[in-house]
Amino acid sequence: MTATEKTTSARAMAGEANPRVEAGIPFVEALARRMAATMPHSIDLSDLVQDGVIGLIDAAQRFDGSRGIKFETFAERRIRGAIAKAAAPKKLAAE
């Protein structure tokens, strides 16, 4: 499955679950590209995006708007954390 097919599949699943998740996919892709620049080339960008979407879904489920924080701010930490957690073993193996 190519990166485009994975992104399309992620968008389809996200749209069914939560509109915030579907709207956040481009944000996840941008964060994954930025984080991929600091990682070994053996780590696939589509894997980072996929892990980031998992973090985005987690953020959408846990977000509490009454706390006075923007969703994007809350989600960024979850997305970065999910990508870093999933990429850590791959990064160590590549070195």
Side-chain angles (χ1 to χ4, degrees):
M1 185 178 281
T2 66
T4 305
E5 290 170 337
K6 284 183 180 179
T7 301
T8 304
S9 175
R11 285 179 198 245
M13 289 187 306
E16 295 168 6
N18 189 324
R20 278 194 173 133
V21 174
E22 184 175 5
I25 300 259
F27 182 61
V28 170
E29 292 170 342
L31 277 175
R33 278 192 300 274
R34 278 190 270 168
M35 291 181 75
T38 65
M39 296 183 183
H41 295 294
S42 61
I43 297 177
D44 190 32
L45 177 62
S46 63
D47 289 340
L48 298 179
V49 171
Q50 191 172 22
D51 297 326
V53 170
I54 292 169
L56 179 64
I57 292 168
D58 181 51
Q61 291 172 345
R62 294 176 181 262
F63 181 67
D64 180 9
S66 67
R67 298 181 71 196
I69 187 171
K70 289 175 39 179
F71 176 71
E72 291 79 13
T73 305
F74 179 78
E76 182 174 359
R77 293 189 67 105
R78 294 265 173 199
I79 294 165
R80 283 185 181 273
I83 291 172
K85 182 177 179 181
K90 297 173 193 169
K91 190 174 180 182
L92 289 174
E95 293 177 351

